[in-house]
Amino acid sequence: MKMNGAQILVQGLLDQGVDTIFGYPGGSVLPIYDALYDANIRHILVRHEQGAAHAADGYARASGRPGVCLATSGPGATNLVTGIANAYMDSVPMVAITGQVPSALLGRDSFQEADITGITMPVTKHNYIVKDVKELAMTLKEAFYIATTGKPGPVLVDIPRDVSGGTMDYEDPGPINLPGYRPVLEGKEEQLNKAAAAITDSIRPVIYAGGGVIGSGAHQELKRLAELLMAPVTTTLMGLGGFPGDHPLYLGMLGMHGSRYANYAVCESDLLIAVGARFDDRVTGKIESFAPDATIIHIDIDPAEIRKNVRADIPVVGDVKIVLNQLLPRLEAKLSGAWQQKIDQWKKEYPIGYEEDNDKLKPQQVISAIYKATRGQARIATEVGQHQMWAAHYYTYTRPRSFISSGGLGAMGYGFPAAIGVQVACPDEVVFDIAGDGSIQMNIQEMATAVNYQLPVNVAVMNNGWLGMVRQWQELFYNRRYSCTELVNPDFVKLAEAYGASGIRVTRGADLKPALEEAIRNSGPVMLDFVIEREENVFPMVPPGESLGNMIG
Amino acid sequence: MEMTVAQALIRCLEMEGVEVIFGYPGGAILPVYDALCKMGSIKHILARHEQGAVHAADAYSRVTGHVGVVMATSGPGATNLVTGIANAYMDSVPLVVITGQVPTSQVGTDAFQEVDITGITLPITKHNYLVKDAGKLPTVVKNAFHIASTGRPGPVLIDLPRDVATETIKLDYPDSVSLRGYKPTYKGHPTKVKEAAQMMMKAERPVIYAGGGILNSGATGELLELAEMLSAPVTNTLMGLSSFPGDHPLFLGMLGLHGTRYANLAVTKCDLLIALGARFDDRVTSKISSFAPDAGVVHVDIDPAEIGKNVQVHVPIVGDVRQVLQALLPNINKKDRSEWLEQIQNWKEQYPMGYARDGMLKPQAVIEAICRHTRGEAVVATDVGQHQMWVAQFYRFKHPGKLISSGGLGTMGFGLPATVGAQVGRPDSLVVLITGDGSLQMTLQELATVVEQKLPIKIFVLNNNCLGMVRQLQEFYCERRYIATEFSFVPDFVTMAKAYGIAGYTIKSHSELDRLLPEILSNPDAVMVNCLVDPQENVSPMVMAGQGIDQAIDC
Amino acid sequence: MRHTLAVLVENNPGVLARVAGLFSRRGFNIDSLAVGRTENPDVSRMTIVVEGDDRILEQVTKQLHKLIDVIKISDISPEEYVDRELVIIKVHSDPARRGEIMQVADIFRARIVDLGRKTITLECTGNNGKINAFEESLRPYGIKELVRTGKIAMLRGLRFTSVNGQKDDD
Ligand SMILES: Cc1ncc(C[n+]2csc(CCOP(=O)(O)OP(=O)(O)O)c2C)c(N)n1
Ligand SMILES: Cc1ncc(C[n+]2csc(CCOP(=O)(O)OP(=O)(O)O)c2C)c(N)n1
Ligand SMILES: [Mg+2]
């Protein structure tokens, strides 16, 4: 059948099971949009391409299916860069499709030409520019394959306008052949045996679980492992929800803003089982004193992560779920003992907490109230800053894919469009974006998208009048010289109303519950302006460059 | 003197005469912010998104002629600058972009908020640096300013790891640069200049095609003199608009895809095309083989790579447009070309720029009215879309450097932050933004910056409830199969303005327009004006893809 | 048309990425690219062989010039120059055919650098044509592995490609 490139693209998307894409039109993607006109694919029109990338990312994190975004050449493509980098850092499967100027105009600084494959080289798992319509179908197939397998990540496909407009007799592209890309899924026997032996020998094991657990769907295996070994589990920010937050073996988050007991447990462990985590600097603190007495087992899909930052005594390369299933039968049950008691002692001694104050609304209190009002069942997206850390600490995540946050890139402005993507993926669930007053402004334009599609996303702005996290650093490490961090803000309630959304301002603890209930009941987007204590800090904290054991606050 | 690299950086900026930095803080750039605060010598404008900061710096540079300076943190801060850097690159705007980076020991480890921004921006910067060696910082800054502002200007990025920023160095700011790989040519080759002059004297139907290079090199006086001496009509690219007086009888308006018919006809029929600081962009030439088919081409440009890139050139002159014109003018005499000018006058009368003034408020009328009420003297920033083309067609700029628009990249969302930079750079000028309902939403967070800085800008939204320019393309190329271009929901811009503490007006008719404009334009504070314009209106004329520019259609 | 460019660049990190990125972005085709240091440790020299007509060559040269780290570009193709490339080829060889292969090697003045039980590895330097011919002559024996350095080139006699321009010796 004769088809043009755009129709082939749409056919390819349908073949991949894509039902939703997030995008913004423009001249170079005109043929693609025209093909979408007749296609059975839902297109969500965002208000800035950054919103499209983050929404596709949120959609992927919530659903486990690859997110797809679409933008025009030049500024449309460059506007995706932060969103692509974000997906790259957090290993989110995403396919970004960009229009490009016609092939004949490439390389001439033509109108709205940007070398997006060059630009995104460092932030994509792979990218393509399709120079011939005959290659399009295969390229797209490869793009989805690469994005979703191995360590997932974003793949960009750049399509010149003459290619999306060019026609050919369509045929199925056939099987994929990528000699340079063969992810290893199963762990090596030898390594598995070594790991099992080390586990058997250990007295003070700690499991350190990251986003790989969620990505590979290994949360049940993780739980079985922990319960079998009676091993306490700490998670990274990306791993939140990968282990039930209300489980007695759970230690909460580790690292710079981790719990004291998680960090202490890691410091004193004799065995650290790293599962789908990558020893990020925010987790390890000062590398030399990270888990100094522990044998380290590192299970990860990406061989390049092994020994990148920290020694790994027993590396096991493979898909986390498959490796855990290989490992579990080799292990024997252990009993609770002195180690577990010690941890319980720490938990009692150093609970995560804050000082309540009847006159002021405390951010932690707001998050706890959101937890109660949603009975712990909401999908929580966050922005970046203090509120992100409070959202990590004061909401208990009991299932995977319920905490959606920018971990590696730490991109302010991620949360709101991501929440839109989450809501599109999970139309019947309650979705919150826990935001800061600085972050929410970055992609506030997406309120029009939320209203447009009547997506009942609830935005909880922790309004402290500051770029709070930066202010905290200035307070602690720069003698309170608050350089350029105080904010002049819009009236968030009125702003919501300008969009035809609902706005609710909360200034007192007593109003928390009714406001949240109203927001959840509301069938459209709601902006909650929580006017919180201005100078609250995120504690405890490991100062930058310090060891995990040296926490302040 | 011993100081930290962060402090030294601020000192270097002082020595470069930097008065304002546009930026957004974050962890990796904190040492520099701390130094900025401590030293207190340079004003900082806090944007609400890094994209806003870089567009503002870009416009600041366009109105002041100084190098714009932007600062952001590593990771997302840096990637949020990408569009703005690309925008400045495409329009040859001098910027120095300073980004924080993770400590050197973590570079290359996918550390928290680490992004390879020098790698990312390779294709969109004139040059970039990752400072690994503290001692090199002063030289890097010196070079960066030099490279950004000389030759064909453009953005230069300096990536500064946090550990380097806190090292101590002895500041010794170099007073000259030594870059063996970079030596721009300013003076045109004398024989080529003579040749060009001869061609100009010989030609019977010359047209001057003037681009942004005129404004960059400050050659507006020379351009006027040349045009009048030769009696040669002048057409501008979008970037060149305002470099020639909009009300001058020799002015043809803009050429190209949405150019005036008479400009496009003049170029098609001319026997000599004098291209000054312009680059034969595809939006200008459309089908190359029918672009100025009978003409000899003189091309003056600072960038040798532009010459002969898209069209064949008979007399290439590499050099600064102003210096070349100064060398050229003594070689030509006043020439009278009444026949050619008569022909042009006929075209102007035959194909006037116009629109039907019936029914709903017409976007063109809004621009004409703003032009009238500001006497063509306002600084006008635009976004990208139909409204941008209408500004180009209907605002007659009297003075140079008054149009601030995204030409090469065509970045929606450029407009609002650009007005921030323009007003900061020209606090005493009237700064007007003409934007679309789609474009304004892209960076509207900068309304908070407008308010914080008390900038009295006047925002006119030509609200047609759609992504008009793309809708127009769908009308003509996709048989009116409109998808993703007609907004089923547009926010209430007046209420939105109020949420930020900005006054708002709605204008629905031609009569309201003339009644309200004086009040709006004399308001001492920022104002948002929501103009509900005819959503069916198209930008006319239009050259369809692959056609010669004399084949425009009315739409 | 093939052109051989001698490009002197600052020996800065990332300079190869800048040049490679430029070629890919502008759609220029590289036949081969070889880089190494020069008599001056601050300067590296790239020998780039590009395919294209004069217009393309002009753009390649001008665009390369815009890179701040590029010091000098000379198209040496029209001049008198020497050029060399090194190839290492591993061919299948059972003892019976070893003699034949060694004869071929002799003709091309190639050297044997490794001998295995079933393989023989040869190195050969020469200009493009010679290397191609060498490769063709070995093909019938079964080439197991082959690697070429890409061409490097230098002007003959008293002509120089150096930072300070082409100048006479004294
Ligand atoms: C795009 C981007 N720019 C800058 C930063 C650096 N940064 C990290 S946290 C933070 C402050 C966030 O402020 P807000 O959203 O109000 O949250 P709060 O910390 O006050 O809860 C900043 C500026 C970032 N992470 N992302
Ligand atoms: C960042 C970005 N995304 C997409 C485009 C493609 N594009 C060009 S014009 C246009 C429509 C602009 O709409 P609006 O701002 O409402 O102006 P109008 O054309 O209606 O005057 C679009 C989507 C672009 N230029 N920039
Ligand atoms: Mg805040």
Side-chain angles (χ1 to χ4, degrees):
Chain A
M1 199 173 69
K2 268 254 182 288
M3 285 168 95
N4 75 8
Q7 290 164 328
I8 291 169
L9 174 77
V10 166
Q11 185 57 49
L13 292 174
L14 289 168
D15 291 347
Q16 294 294 334
V18 172
D19 56 13
T20 309
I21 65 181
F22 301 86
Y24 203 84
S28 310
V29 279
L30 223 49
I32 299 176
Y33 271 88
D34 199 48
L36 281 173
Y37 191 90
D38 304 311
N40 193 14
I41 294 180
R42 186 174 188 202
H43 175 267
I44 305 280
L45 176 67
V46 296
R47 295 306 189 266
H48 184 298
E49 289 85 355
Q50 186 180 0
H54 289 326
D57 171 317
Y59 177 92
R61 292 195 207 210
S63 68
R65 297 192 299 272
V68 180
C69 57
L70 172 61
T72 193
S73 66
T78 54
N79 276 349
L80 294 176
V81 171
T82 298
I84 294 174
N86 189 63
Y88 182 69
M89 294 293 271
D90 287 351
S91 310
V92 178
M94 181 160 115
V95 174
I97 298 161
T98 50
Q100 182 55 283
V101 302
S103 316
L105 293 177
L106 277 173
R108 294 166 172 260
D109 316 289
S110 307
F111 178 66
Q112 293 193 331
E113 179 189 2
D115 172 21
I116 197 64
T117 44
I119 290 173
T120 58
M121 203 90 81
V123 291
T124 45
K125 189 168 169 188
H126 193 51
N127 65 28
Y128 296 91
I129 177 161
V130 184
K131 295 259 177 87
D132 182 346
V133 62
K134 295 200 183 68
E135 289 164 9
L136 183 58
M138 182 49 117
T139 303
L140 195 71
K141 197 167 172 181
E142 287 177 9
F144 275 87
Y145 176 68
I146 293 171
T148 52
T149 53
K151 177 176 181 163
V155 178
L156 180 135
V157 183
D158 197 24
I159 310 177
R161 203 176 62 208
D162 56 320
V163 172
S164 53
T167 51
M168 67 174 279
D169 279 320
Y170 178 74
E171 44 192 287
D172 189 87
I176 286 173
N177 174 26
L178 289 167
Y181 179 71
R182 300 225 174 89
V184 174
L185 300 180
E186 282 177 19
K188 280 211 181 100
E189 291 290 314
E190 188 193 339
Q191 297 305 97
L192 289 162
N193 289 338
K194 276 195 207 158
I199 291 172
T200 308
D201 288 348
S202 75
I203 304 168
R204 300 187 305 282
V206 170
I207 298 173
Y208 148 50
V213 170
I214 296 168
S216 75
H219 51 284
Q220 270 151 356
E221 287 77 5
L222 176 66
K223 189 163 163 239
R224 273 168 47 211
L225 178 73
E227 288 175 349
L228 187 71
L229 304 177
M230 287 308 286
V233 178
T234 177
T235 61
T236 63
L237 187 77
M238 297 306 298
L240 285 177
F243 190 77
D246 50 4
H247 196 286
L249 285 170
Y250 189 52
L251 293 171
M253 198 166 70
L254 82 166
M256 179 175 277
H257 289 296
S259 65
R260 277 186 191 265
Y261 39 93
N263 284 346
Y264 290 170
V266 169
C267 286
E268 298 206 4
S269 64
D270 68 348
L271 176 73
L272 190 70
I273 311 173
V275 188
R278 61 189 184 92
F279 299 89
D280 179 77
D281 53 295
R282 285 271 147 142
V283 159
T284 60
K286 189 172 166 194
I287 295 239
E288 300 75 37
S289 45
F290 179 75
D293 306 327
T295 301
I296 296 179
I297 299 174
H298 190 179
I299 304 171
D300 204 284
I301 185 83
D302 180 1
E305 285 300 339
I306 308 263
R307 300 199 177 111
K308 187 178 78 178
N309 296 332
V310 168
R311 71 188 192 279
D313 303 294
I314 308 168
V316 189
V317 174
D319 175 80
V320 169
K321 183 175 173 130
I322 295 174
V323 170
L324 289 186
N325 277 320
Q326 287 175 296
L327 188 62
L328 280 164
R330 294 167 210 246
L331 301 174
E332 276 172 25
K334 288 195 172 197
L335 295 176
S336 195
W339 176 231
Q340 286 74 7
Q341 275 165 18
K342 187 162 193 185
I343 284 172
D344 285 339
Q345 190 57 39
W346 280 329
K347 281 192 183 175
K348 281 201 202 86
E349 219 169 308
Y350 308 109
I352 293 260
Y354 62 98
E355 281 171 40
E356 292 185 35
D357 183 335
N358 279 337
D359 298 335
K360 285 176 175 159
L361 198 55
K362 290 282 188 145
Q364 302 92 331
Q365 172 193 6
V366 178
I367 311 279
S368 298
I370 296 174
Y371 175 65
K372 284 193 207 104
T374 59
R375 289 185 299 281
Q377 292 304 302
R379 306 260 183 178
I380 305 287
T382 81
E383 306 286 348
V384 172
Q386 294 180 313
H387 60 277
Q388 179 187 30
M389 294 305 142
W390 288 318
H393 285 309
Y394 294 93
Y395 197 102
T396 307
Y397 303 92
T398 51
R399 54 179 180 145
R401 305 190 181 282
S402 59
F403 178 74
I404 313 277
S405 191
S406 170
L409 191 66
M412 294 171 66
Y414 167 75
F416 185 33
I420 287 175
V422 173
Q423 188 77 74
V424 169
C426 314
D428 301 324
E429 298 191 41
V430 175
V431 177
F432 267 80
D433 171 34
I434 294 182
D437 47 338
S439 298
I440 192 60
Q441 296 187 54
M442 290 216 162
N443 282 312
I444 187 70
Q445 76 283 349
E446 299 309 328
M447 190 54 96
T449 311
V451 172
N452 192 157
Y453 298 95
Q454 277 301 300
L455 302 168
V457 173
N458 302 296
V459 182
V461 181
M462 303 290 132
N463 188 348
N464 53 9
W466 291 101
L467 296 172
M469 186 58 100
V470 182
R471 186 206 58 74
Q472 174 170 345
W473 280 51
Q474 288 171 337
E475 174 184 337
L476 299 176
F477 313 120
Y478 291 91
N479 295 321
R480 292 177 192 263
R481 266 193 305 281
Y482 295 144
S483 172
C484 312
T485 39
E486 196 165 4
L487 288 171
V488 170
N489 286 327
D491 177 333
F492 289 111
V493 171
K494 263 204 209 133
L495 192 54
E497 284 163 6
Y499 282 99
S502 307
I504 308 174
R505 177 164 299 119
V506 181
T507 54
R508 302 182 307 160
D511 298 337
L512 272 173
K513 194 161 171 256
L516 284 165
E517 281 168 358
E518 188 188 330
I520 293 166
R521 229 180 303 122
N522 193 311
S523 60
V526 179
M527 173 105 86
L528 291 142
D529 181 15
F530 295 106
V531 181
I532 58 164
E533 155 74 11
R534 282 173 57 88
E535 302 204 5
E536 190 75 8
N537 284 333
V538 180
F539 281 137
M541 175 184 190
V542 180
E546 289 283 345
S547 314
L548 291 192
N550 296 338
M551 298 194 80
I552 56 171
Chain B
M1 209 175 97
E2 294 257 327
M3 56 178 87
T4 66
V5 166
Q7 288 168 330
L9 172 60
I10 302 295
R11 257 297 112 74
C12 298
L13 296 181
E14 285 169 13
M15 284 188 270
E16 288 293 337
V18 175
E19 291 167 8
V20 187
I21 295 178
F22 300 86
Y24 204 86
I29 193 77
L30 263 190
V32 182
Y33 268 89
D34 196 48
L36 184 67
C37 178
K38 247 193 222 156
M39 300 165 76
S41 49
I42 299 178
K43 183 171 170 158
H44 178 268
I45 308 278
L46 177 70
R48 292 302 184 272
H49 185 299
E50 289 83 357
Q51 185 182 355
V54 59
H55 287 326
D58 173 323
Y60 174 86
S61 169
R62 293 190 204 214
V63 298
T64 60
H66 302 157
V67 176
V69 181
V70 201
M71 206 150 83
T73 193
S74 67
T79 53
N80 276 349
L81 297 174
V82 170
T83 297
I85 295 173
N87 191 70
Y89 182 70
M90 292 294 268
D91 285 351
S92 310
V93 178
L95 288 187
V96 168
V97 181
I98 300 160
T99 49
Q101 183 54 284
V102 301
T104 353
S105 60
Q106 290 175 9
V107 169
T109 68
D110 314 294
F112 178 66
Q113 294 193 329
E114 181 197 355
V115 154
D116 171 16
I117 197 63
T118 44
I120 288 176
T121 57
L122 267 190
I124 50 171
T125 46
K126 192 167 167 189
H127 195 53
N128 63 27
Y129 294 96
L130 169 62
V131 184
K132 286 193 179 155
D133 176 352
K136 293 225 173 93
L137 180 97
T139 314
V140 165
V141 176
K142 183 82 196 174
N143 289 353
F145 275 85
H146 178 73
I147 293 169
S149 58
T150 54
R152 178 177 180 171
V156 178
L157 180 136
I158 303 174
D159 199 21
L160 182 63
R162 203 180 62 211
D163 58 328
V164 176
T166 53
E167 275 181 57
T168 344
I169 57 165
K170 235 183 93 191
L171 174 60
D172 204 350
Y173 199 56
D175 39 32
S176 65
V177 296
S178 110
L179 288 162
R180 5 180 207 193
Y182 179 71
K183 294 202 176 79
T185 311
Y186 291 100
K187 290 225 172 339
H189 198 286
T191 35
K192 291 287 168 200
V193 170
K194 285 234 167 62
E195 249 177 77
Q198 277 161 11
M199 268 183 103
M200 288 176 193
M201 294 315 295
K202 261 202 261 145
E204 283 170 13
R205 301 185 307 280
V207 168
I208 299 175
Y209 149 51
I214 300 281
L215 294 166
N216 271 337
S217 72
T220 50
E222 289 76 8
L223 171 64
L224 185 62
E225 198 183 334
L226 180 73
E228 288 180 345
M229 288 281 274
L230 294 178
S231 301
V234 176
T235 178
N236 274 150
T237 63
L238 181 68
M239 295 306 296
L241 281 175
S242 85
S243 66
F244 195 77
D247 49 9
H248 196 286
L250 286 171
F251 190 52
L252 294 172
M254 184 172 75
L255 82 167
L257 232 55
H258 291 298
T260 63
R261 280 184 187 274
Y262 37 94
N264 285 348
L265 280 170
V267 168
T268 308
K269 299 288 187 234
C270 72
D271 65 351
L272 176 67
L273 188 69
I274 307 167
L276 305 176
R279 59 190 185 92
F280 296 88
D281 177 72
D282 53 301
R283 285 246 138 170
V284 160
T285 59
S286 193
K287 186 177 170 191
I288 295 248
S289 57
S290 25
F291 185 74
D294 307 325
V297 176
V298 173
H299 190 182
V300 183
D301 205 283
I302 186 87
D303 181 359
E306 284 304 339
I307 293 180
K309 187 175 82 173
N310 293 332
V311 301
Q312 215 204 330
V313 173
H314 303 91
V315 184
I317 306 180
V318 176
D320 174 78
V321 178
R322 179 154 187 235
Q323 296 192 24
V324 171
L325 289 188
Q326 281 171 347
L328 187 121
L329 282 167
N331 291 300
I332 56 174
N333 306 317
K334 176 101 183 137
K335 184 123 184 190
D336 175 46
R337 289 192 171 92
S338 45
E339 211 175 308
W340 177 226
L341 293 184
E342 214 166 283
Q343 167 71 73
I344 294 213
Q345 192 52 35
N346 285 343
W347 282 330
K348 281 191 178 174
E349 278 156 26
Q350 208 174 337
Y351 307 109
M353 289 301 289
Y355 56 96
R357 239 175 179 277
D358 53 354
M360 291 187 71
L361 179 63
K362 297 290 174 175
Q364 301 94 327
V366 177
I367 289 160
E368 283 192 323
I370 295 172
C371 182
R372 236 181 5 258
H373 285 274
T374 58
R375 292 176 306 279
E377 290 171 347
V379 174
V380 180
T382 80
D383 258 299
V384 172
Q386 292 180 316
H387 62 274
Q388 180 188 31
M389 291 302 124
W390 287 318
V391 169
Q393 294 175 337
F394 293 97
Y395 195 99
R396 290 175 172 265
F397 291 91
K398 233 182 251 160
H399 305 302
K402 295 286 177 104
L403 171 64
I404 313 292
S405 194
S406 167
L409 194 64
T411 313
M412 291 172 69
F414 172 71
L416 180 61
T419 56
V420 169
Q423 188 77 76
V424 168
R426 291 226 186 146
D428 300 326
S429 299
L430 174 62
V431 176
V432 171
L433 169 64
I434 295 175
T435 179
D437 47 325
S439 296
L440 178 62
Q441 292 186 60
M442 289 228 161
T443 48
L444 66 93
Q445 74 283 348
E446 299 309 326
L447 288 174
T449 315
V450 170
V451 173
E452 179 172 8
Q453 302 297 334
K454 302 193 174 57
L455 305 174
I457 62 170
K458 308 293 177 273
I459 304 167
F460 293 86
V461 191
L462 302 193
N463 189 344
N464 54 8
N465 238 289
C466 64
L467 299 173
M469 187 54 108
V470 184
R471 186 203 52 72
Q472 176 170 349
L473 294 176
Q474 287 174 340
E475 180 177 337
F476 287 89
Y477 291 99
C478 307
E479 297 158 337
R480 298 176 193 253
R481 289 148 54 93
Y482 299 130
I483 168 171
T485 46
E486 293 179 307
F487 285 127
S488 42
F489 172 76
V490 171
D492 174 348
F493 292 112
V494 170
T495 317
M496 180 191 286
K498 289 194 178 125
Y500 284 90
I502 293 175
Y505 289 82
T506 301
I507 292 184
K508 297 187 290 291
S509 67
H510 294 106
S511 58
E512 279 174 328
L513 188 61
D514 275 311
R515 186 159 52 79
L516 290 173
L517 269 182
E519 174 183 333
I520 289 166
L521 292 169
S522 58
N523 191 314
D525 297 314
V527 180
M528 166 95 76
V529 190
N530 187 19
C531 306
L532 302 177
V533 299
D534 187 348
Q536 298 302 324
E537 199 61 26
N538 282 331
V539 180
S540 183
M542 168 164 92
V543 179
M544 298 283 282
Q547 299 287 313
I549 56 169
D550 57 335
Q551 303 293 312
I553 57 168
D554 285 315
C555 20
Chain C
M1 235 306 255
R2 277 224 172 91
H3 295 268
T4 303
L5 305 181
V7 182
L8 296 175
V9 299
E10 299 280 357
N11 185 12
N12 287 342
V15 64
L16 185 59
R18 287 181 203 278
V19 171
L22 181 101
F23 274 78
S24 115
R25 175 158 79 245
R26 302 262 171 202
F28 305 143
N29 292 321
I30 305 187
D31 261 20
S32 79
L33 188 159
V35 213
R37 35 160 300 231
T38 62
E39 71 283 357
N40 176 346
D42 295 342
V43 175
S44 298
R45 175 156 164 165
M46 298 183 179
T47 309
I48 307 178
V49 182
V50 287
E51 181 77 55
D53 57 23
D54 286 351
R55 203 193 64 82
I56 290 181
L57 182 77
E58 179 183 332
Q59 268 293 305
V60 169
T61 316
K62 285 173 165 178
Q63 294 293 352
L64 275 174
H65 259 304
K66 285 176 73 165
L67 296 178
I68 310 291
D69 284 343
V70 170
I71 304 167
K72 184 173 175 150
I73 303 154
S74 335
D75 179 6
I76 60 173
S77 329
E79 317 254 349
E80 288 278 303
Y81 66 92
V82 278
D83 65 313
R84 288 293 178 270
E85 186 172 3
L86 169 67
V87 65
I88 303 180
I89 306 182
K90 188 181 288 176
V91 283
H92 183 80
S93 102
D94 36 50
R97 310 197 71 173
R98 199 166 273 175
E100 271 178 60
I101 293 172
M102 283 160 107
Q103 266 181 359
V104 174
D106 254 3
I107 296 169
F108 287 92
R109 300 220 187 99
R111 292 199 319 137
I112 294 163
V113 288
D114 184 51
L115 261 177
R117 264 192 305 135
K118 289 198 169 139
T119 61
I120 180 163
T121 306
L122 305 130
E123 78 162 55
C124 179
T125 40
N127 64 19
N128 223 266
K130 176 176 164 190
I131 301 292
N132 288 345
F134 182 55
E135 187 182 327
E136 281 316 305
S137 318
L138 288 177
R139 198 168 292 287
Y141 302 97
I143 295 179
K144 294 259 162 226
E145 209 178 325
L146 180 151
V147 56
R148 296 171 71 147
T149 55
K151 165 171 163 178
I152 56 172
M154 190 175 280
L155 291 172
R156 285 183 187 276
L158 285 177
R159 309 267 291 153
F160 300 89
T161 302
S162 65
V163 178
N164 303 321
Q166 302 195 342
K167 57 165 198 254
D168 259 345
D169 214 356
D170 40 19

